[in-house]
Amino acid sequence: MTGMTHAMLKGSNVPLDAMAVRAVLRWTPGVGVPDVDASALLLDASGRVRSDEDFVFYNQPRHPSGLVRRLPKRSTPEGLTDGVEADLAALDPSVDQVVIAASCDEAAFEHVRDLRISLYDAASADGEPLAVFDVRAETGEESAIICGELYRRGDSWKFRAVGQGYPNGLVGLATAFGISVDETEATEEQTSGSGTPADAAAAPGPDTAAVPAPDTQATIQHQQPAYGYPQPASPPQPAYGYPQPAPAPPAYGYPQPAAAAAPAADPHFVLPPQGPQFLRS
Protein backbone atom coordinates (compact mmCIF):
# COMPACT_ATOMS: atom_id res chain seq x y z
CA MET A 1 0.00 0.00 0.00
CA THR A 2 3.03 2.25 0.06
CA GLY A 3 2.56 5.46 -1.92
CA MET A 4 -0.97 4.54 -2.95
CA THR A 5 -4.34 5.66 -1.56
CA HIS A 6 -7.23 3.22 -1.84
CA ALA A 7 -10.63 4.86 -2.43
CA MET A 8 -12.92 2.34 -0.81
CA LEU A 9 -16.53 1.31 -1.32
CA LYS A 10 -18.81 0.07 1.43
CA GLY A 11 -17.92 -3.51 2.32
CA SER A 12 -14.52 -3.49 0.61
CA ASN A 13 -11.27 -4.23 2.46
CA VAL A 14 -7.57 -3.70 2.00
CA PRO A 15 -4.50 -5.27 3.65
CA LEU A 16 -2.33 -3.06 5.84
CA ASP A 17 1.44 -2.84 5.76
CA ALA A 18 1.52 -0.30 8.61
CA MET A 19 1.31 -1.79 12.09
CA ALA A 20 0.41 1.49 13.78
CA VAL A 21 -2.35 3.51 12.15
CA ARG A 22 -4.21 6.77 12.54
CA ALA A 23 -7.91 6.81 11.60
CA VAL A 24 -9.13 10.37 11.00
CA LEU A 25 -12.77 11.43 10.57
CA ARG A 26 -13.34 14.62 8.61
CA TRP A 27 -16.52 16.59 7.94
CA THR A 28 -17.56 20.06 6.76
CA PRO A 29 -18.81 22.37 9.51
CA GLY A 30 -21.65 24.86 9.03
CA VAL A 31 -24.90 26.18 10.40
CA GLY A 32 -26.99 23.31 11.74
CA VAL A 33 -24.15 20.80 11.35
CA PRO A 34 -23.63 18.85 14.60
CA ASP A 35 -20.23 18.13 16.09
CA VAL A 36 -18.87 14.63 15.42
CA ASP A 37 -16.91 12.48 17.88
CA ALA A 38 -14.63 9.59 17.01
CA SER A 39 -14.53 6.47 19.17
CA ALA A 40 -13.03 2.96 19.07
CA LEU A 41 -14.06 -0.41 20.46
CA LEU A 42 -11.58 -3.25 20.97
CA LEU A 43 -13.34 -6.57 20.31
CA ASP A 44 -12.40 -10.19 20.88
CA ALA A 45 -13.04 -13.06 18.48
CA SER A 46 -16.71 -13.16 19.52
CA GLY A 47 -17.22 -9.58 18.32
CA ARG A 48 -17.68 -8.14 21.82
CA VAL A 49 -15.57 -6.05 24.19
CA ARG A 50 -13.67 -7.91 26.91
CA SER A 51 -14.63 -5.22 29.46
CA ASP A 52 -15.91 -1.64 29.53
CA GLU A 53 -12.28 -0.48 29.36
CA ASP A 54 -12.25 -1.60 25.69
CA PHE A 55 -14.37 1.44 24.76
CA VAL A 56 -12.27 4.49 23.86
CA PHE A 57 -14.32 7.67 23.50
CA TYR A 58 -14.49 11.29 24.72
CA ASN A 59 -14.98 10.36 28.41
CA GLN A 60 -12.36 7.59 28.27
CA PRO A 61 -9.86 8.90 25.70
CA ARG A 62 -7.11 6.30 26.21
CA HIS A 63 -7.21 2.53 26.57
CA PRO A 64 -5.51 1.28 29.78
CA SER A 65 -2.85 -0.38 27.60
CA GLY A 66 -2.04 2.99 26.01
CA LEU A 67 -2.16 1.32 22.59
CA VAL A 68 -5.42 2.92 21.41
CA ARG A 69 -6.15 6.59 22.07
CA ARG A 70 -8.20 9.51 20.81
CA LEU A 71 -6.52 12.33 18.94
CA PRO A 72 -7.18 16.06 19.49
CA LYS A 73 -9.84 17.64 17.30
CA ARG A 74 -8.45 19.96 14.64
CA SER A 75 -9.66 22.51 12.15
CA THR A 76 -8.14 22.14 8.67
CA PRO A 77 -8.79 23.86 5.34
CA GLU A 78 -10.84 20.80 4.33
CA GLY A 79 -13.01 20.80 7.48
CA LEU A 80 -13.01 19.61 11.10
CA THR A 81 -11.31 16.37 12.13
CA ASP A 82 -11.39 13.94 15.02
CA GLY A 83 -9.57 10.65 15.15
CA VAL A 84 -8.11 7.60 16.85
CA GLU A 85 -4.62 6.11 16.80
CA ALA A 86 -3.93 2.38 17.33
CA ASP A 87 -0.70 0.40 17.67
CA LEU A 88 -1.94 -2.79 16.06
CA ALA A 89 1.32 -4.75 16.35
CA ALA A 90 1.44 -4.37 20.14
CA LEU A 91 -2.22 -5.17 20.89
CA ASP A 92 -2.95 -8.19 23.03
CA PRO A 93 -3.64 -11.29 20.88
CA SER A 94 -7.14 -11.47 22.41
CA VAL A 95 -8.04 -8.28 20.50
CA ASP A 96 -9.35 -9.43 17.14
CA GLN A 97 -10.87 -6.15 15.84
CA VAL A 98 -10.73 -2.43 16.45
CA VAL A 99 -13.98 -0.76 15.37
CA ILE A 100 -13.77 2.95 14.43
CA ALA A 101 -17.06 4.82 14.89
CA ALA A 102 -18.50 8.33 14.64
CA SER A 103 -21.30 9.76 16.78
CA CYS A 104 -23.09 13.09 17.14
CA ASP A 105 -25.22 14.05 20.13
CA GLU A 106 -26.98 17.10 18.74
CA ALA A 107 -28.63 15.75 15.60
CA ALA A 108 -28.71 12.83 13.17
CA PHE A 109 -26.08 12.22 10.50
CA GLU A 110 -28.37 13.50 7.77
CA HIS A 111 -27.15 16.94 8.93
CA VAL A 112 -23.44 16.02 8.72
CA ARG A 113 -21.83 16.96 5.43
CA ASP A 114 -18.95 15.23 3.64
CA LEU A 115 -18.13 12.69 6.36
CA ARG A 116 -15.01 10.73 5.43
CA ILE A 117 -12.65 8.36 7.23
CA SER A 118 -9.01 8.39 6.17
CA LEU A 119 -6.50 5.81 7.36
CA TYR A 120 -2.83 6.84 7.73
CA ASP A 121 0.43 5.17 8.67
CA ALA A 122 1.02 6.56 12.18
CA ALA A 123 4.76 6.53 11.58
CA SER A 124 4.37 9.07 8.76
CA ALA A 125 3.30 12.47 10.06
CA ASP A 126 2.47 14.04 6.68
CA GLY A 127 2.10 11.07 4.36
CA GLU A 128 -0.81 10.41 2.02
CA PRO A 129 -3.65 8.29 3.44
CA LEU A 130 -3.49 4.55 2.94
CA ALA A 131 -7.25 4.38 2.39
CA VAL A 132 -10.26 6.71 2.31
CA PHE A 133 -13.96 5.95 2.62
CA ASP A 134 -16.79 8.45 2.15
CA VAL A 135 -19.31 7.51 4.84
CA ARG A 136 -22.98 7.99 3.98
CA ALA A 137 -25.87 7.45 6.35
CA GLU A 138 -28.27 4.82 5.06
CA THR A 139 -31.45 6.41 6.42
CA GLY A 140 -30.22 9.78 7.66
CA GLU A 141 -31.63 9.09 11.13
CA GLU A 142 -28.45 7.50 12.47
CA SER A 143 -26.69 9.28 15.34
CA ALA A 144 -23.81 6.79 15.47
CA ILE A 145 -22.09 5.07 12.55
CA ILE A 146 -19.39 2.40 12.33
CA CYS A 147 -17.11 3.94 9.72
CA GLY A 148 -14.61 1.11 9.44
CA GLU A 149 -12.92 -1.74 11.26
CA LEU A 150 -9.38 -2.95 11.62
CA TYR A 151 -9.24 -6.74 11.92
CA ARG A 152 -6.68 -9.53 12.12
CA ARG A 153 -5.98 -11.94 9.31
CA GLY A 154 -3.32 -14.35 10.48
CA ASP A 155 -0.28 -12.31 11.51
CA SER A 156 -1.39 -9.23 9.57
CA TRP A 157 -4.22 -6.70 9.71
CA LYS A 158 -6.82 -5.45 7.25
CA PHE A 159 -9.14 -2.48 7.07
CA ARG A 160 -12.80 -2.79 6.01
CA ALA A 161 -15.15 0.07 5.03
CA VAL A 162 -18.41 -0.51 6.95
CA GLY A 163 -20.90 2.40 7.10
CA GLN A 164 -23.40 0.73 9.48
CA GLY A 165 -25.53 3.13 11.54
CA TYR A 166 -27.44 3.19 14.84
CA PRO A 167 -30.41 5.52 15.46
CA ASN A 168 -29.89 5.49 19.24
CA GLY A 169 -26.46 7.11 19.31
CA LEU A 170 -23.36 6.18 21.21
CA VAL A 171 -25.42 4.29 23.80
CA GLY A 172 -26.89 1.99 21.15
CA LEU A 173 -23.51 1.50 19.50
CA ALA A 174 -21.78 0.62 22.76
CA THR A 175 -24.60 -1.67 23.87
CA ALA A 176 -24.40 -3.61 20.64
CA PHE A 177 -20.83 -4.61 21.46
CA GLY A 178 -21.37 -5.58 25.09
CA ILE A 179 -20.70 -2.35 26.99
CA SER A 180 -22.70 -2.16 30.22
CA VAL A 181 -24.76 1.03 30.35
CA ASP A 182 -26.22 2.60 33.48
CA GLU A 183 -29.96 2.93 32.88
CA THR A 184 -30.27 6.14 34.89
CA GLU A 185 -27.50 7.81 32.96
CA ALA A 186 -28.90 6.51 29.69
CA THR A 187 -32.26 8.05 30.53
CA GLU A 188 -30.60 11.39 31.27
CA GLU A 189 -28.76 11.22 27.97
CA GLN A 190 -32.00 10.39 26.18
CA THR A 191 -33.66 13.48 27.59
CA SER A 192 -30.69 15.57 26.55
CA GLY A 193 -31.15 14.45 22.93
CA SER A 194 -27.98 12.36 22.63
CA GLY A 195 -29.61 9.01 22.07
CA THR A 196 -31.82 6.33 23.56
CA PRO A 197 -30.82 3.00 24.98
CA ALA A 198 -30.86 0.21 22.44
CA ASP A 199 -33.65 -2.34 22.56
CA ALA A 200 -32.44 -5.47 24.33
CA ALA A 201 -33.56 -7.63 21.43
CA ALA A 202 -31.69 -5.53 18.91
CA ALA A 203 -28.39 -5.43 20.75
CA PRO A 204 -26.24 -8.41 21.56
CA GLY A 205 -25.06 -7.07 24.89
CA PRO A 206 -25.72 -4.73 27.78
CA ASP A 207 -25.29 -1.07 27.11
CA THR A 208 -22.42 1.22 27.69
CA ALA A 209 -21.59 3.46 30.48
CA ALA A 210 -20.07 6.13 28.89
CA VAL A 211 -21.77 6.36 26.65
CA PRO A 212 -22.06 6.79 28.23
CA ALA A 213 -24.66 7.51 31.04
CA PRO A 214 -24.27 8.48 28.04
CA ASP A 215 -22.84 5.47 28.63
CA THR A 216 -24.68 2.96 30.11
CA GLN A 217 -21.36 1.70 30.77
CA ALA A 218 -21.36 4.38 33.09
CA THR A 219 -18.54 5.75 31.21
CA ILE A 220 -20.27 8.22 29.08
CA GLN A 221 -21.04 10.96 31.48
CA HIS A 222 -21.76 14.48 30.43
CA GLN A 223 -22.38 16.02 33.84
CA GLN A 224 -19.37 17.90 35.19
CA PRO A 225 -18.16 17.16 38.72
CA ALA A 226 -18.78 19.80 41.34
CA TYR A 227 -15.08 20.50 41.82
CA GLY A 228 -14.28 24.00 40.66
CA TYR A 229 -17.91 24.97 40.19
CA PRO A 230 -19.92 27.26 42.52
CA GLN A 231 -20.88 25.16 45.52
CA PRO A 232 -24.23 25.31 47.32
CA ALA A 233 -24.42 27.89 50.08
CA SER A 234 -23.44 26.63 53.54
CA PRO A 235 -26.17 26.41 56.15
CA PRO A 236 -26.34 29.36 58.55
CA GLN A 237 -23.84 29.14 61.40
CA PRO A 238 -25.04 29.15 65.03
CA ALA A 239 -24.80 32.48 66.82
CA TYR A 240 -22.51 31.21 69.59
CA GLY A 241 -19.06 32.70 69.20
CA TYR A 242 -19.94 34.40 65.90
CA PRO A 243 -20.65 38.08 65.36
CA GLN A 244 -24.20 38.68 66.49
CA PRO A 245 -26.76 40.35 64.27
CA ALA A 246 -26.78 44.11 64.59
CA PRO A 247 -29.70 45.53 66.57
CA ALA A 248 -32.48 46.99 64.51
CA PRO A 249 -31.98 50.72 63.98
CA PRO A 250 -34.13 52.91 66.20
CA ALA A 251 -37.35 54.19 64.76
CA TYR A 252 -36.43 57.83 64.59
CA GLY A 253 -39.25 60.21 65.45
CA TYR A 254 -41.28 57.71 67.47
CA PRO A 255 -41.18 57.15 71.25
CA GLN A 256 -38.75 54.33 71.95
CA PRO A 257 -39.69 51.50 74.29
CA ALA A 258 -38.18 51.98 77.74
CA ALA A 259 -35.61 49.44 78.80
CA ALA A 260 -36.65 47.23 81.67
CA ALA A 261 -35.26 48.46 85.00
CA ALA A 262 -32.47 46.29 86.39
CA PRO A 263 -33.17 44.88 89.88
CA ALA A 264 -31.30 46.59 92.71
CA ALA A 265 -28.16 44.78 93.86
CA ASP A 266 -28.29 43.02 97.25
CA PRO A 267 -25.68 44.78 99.42
CA HIS A 268 -25.21 41.59 101.55
CA PHE A 269 -24.67 39.25 98.60
CA VAL A 270 -21.41 37.24 98.80
CA LEU A 271 -20.15 34.80 96.19
CA PRO A 272 -20.02 31.18 97.36
CA PRO A 273 -16.57 29.59 97.80
CA GLN A 274 -15.03 28.66 94.48
CA GLY A 275 -12.82 25.73 93.56
CA PRO A 276 -11.87 22.76 95.73
CA GLN A 277 -12.79 23.29 99.44
CA PHE A 278 -10.67 22.16 102.35
CA LEU A 279 -11.87 21.78 106.02
CA ARG A 280 -9.62 22.65 108.93
CA SER A 281 -9.03 19.72 111.35
Side-chain angles (χ1 to χ4, degrees), residues 122-190:
S124 176
D126 302 314
E128 291 296 313
L130 306 175
V132 296
F133 171 49
D134 292 326
V135 185
R136 293 182 176 84
E138 295 177 328
T139 67
E141 298 178 0
E142 299 90 338
S143 48
I145 294 180
I146 297 175
C147 299
E149 60 184 13
L150 303 156
Y151 62 100
R152 292 185 189 269
R153 275 297 176 267
D155 295 330
S156 60
W157 287 78
K158 288 186 159 188
F159 175 71
R160 177 184 293 119
V162 180
Q164 175 185 344
Y166 295 78
N168 41 9
L170 200 56
V171 171
L173 169 70
T175 301
F177 291 102
I179 298 293
S180 56
V181 181
D182 181 276
E183 293 182 2
T184 301
E185 291 180 341
T187 302
E188 291 175 355
E189 174 151 331
Q190 180 176 343

